[in-house]
């Protein structure tokens, strides 16, 4: 998840898993569509490279968090579609809670001096 300029955000380890699980929550999708959804939804701040996406998909599938099956895409090409599993939904809830706690902690740590409210 990189970009040649500084406007795109580097992802922390594990964040891609969370984004993939969240992207699959509404329904099955193939790899390219997952990457495009993340890019579009993040207003182009996040771009998932193929070299990061597919290893993450294989890892999530091996953990039982997503399940993949082959089908024809809208363009008539064979594609692997992924869907979130019940185990993946539980993992998404857990990861989302962890992310919220991390974001809160970062917000507290990044407050300018004197704004702590003490």
């Amino acid at each position: 998840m990189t970009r040649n300029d500084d406007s795109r955000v580097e992802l922390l380890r594990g964040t891609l898993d969370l984004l993939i699980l969240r992207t699959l929550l509404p329904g099955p999708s193939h790899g390219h569509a997952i990457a495009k959804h993340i890019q579009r939804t993040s207003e182009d701040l996040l771009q998932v490279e193929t070299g990061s996406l597919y290893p993450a998909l294989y890892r999530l599938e091996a953990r039982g968090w997503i399940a993949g099956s082959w089908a024809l895409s809208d363009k008539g090409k064979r594609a692997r579609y992924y869907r979130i599993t019940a185990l993946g939904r539980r993992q998404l809830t857990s990861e989302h809670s962890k992310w919220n706690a991390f974001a809160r902690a970062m917000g507290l740590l990044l407050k300018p001096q004197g704004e702590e409210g003490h």
Side-chain angles (χ1 to χ4, degrees):
M1 292 217 154
T2 59
R3 185 174 174 177
N4 294 337
D5 60 46
D6 290 336
S7 65
R8 200 163 283 161
V9 179
E10 291 284 333
L11 289 183
L12 295 170
R13 178 177 224 101
T15 305
L16 179 55
D17 295 357
L18 174 62
L19 294 175
I20 291 170
L21 292 173
R22 178 59 187 94
T23 298
L24 293 176
L25 201 53
S29 192
H30 57 81
H32 181 72
I34 292 168
K36 283 296 179 193
H37 173 81
I38 292 169
Q39 183 176 349
R40 192 174 48 252
T41 305
S42 71
E43 298 177 350
D44 293 324
L45 290 171
L46 302 175
Q47 182 175 351
V48 183
E49 304 296 336
T50 303
S52 298
L53 176 66
Y54 288 95
L57 289 170
Y58 302 146
R59 183 176 61 251
L60 296 179
E61 191 171 16
R63 290 178 178 164
W65 298 348
I66 63 173
S69 60
W70 291 99
L72 290 181
S73 71
D74 296 338
K75 297 180 181 178
K77 292 186 177 183
R78 204 167 105 100
R80 191 152 177 86
Y81 281 78
Y82 297 92
R83 64 174 177 76
I84 191 168
T85 63
L87 186 59
R89 288 176 192 276
R90 286 193 295 277
Q91 185 65 27
L92 175 59
T93 299
S94 171
E95 292 300 320
H96 192 231
S97 295
K98 288 179 197 173
W99 180 256
N100 284 337
F102 175 77
R104 182 176 181 276
M106 288 299 294
L108 292 169
L109 288 166
L110 295 174
K111 277 185 182 178
Q113 287 283 325
E115 290 188 16
E116 285 87 11
H118 295 134

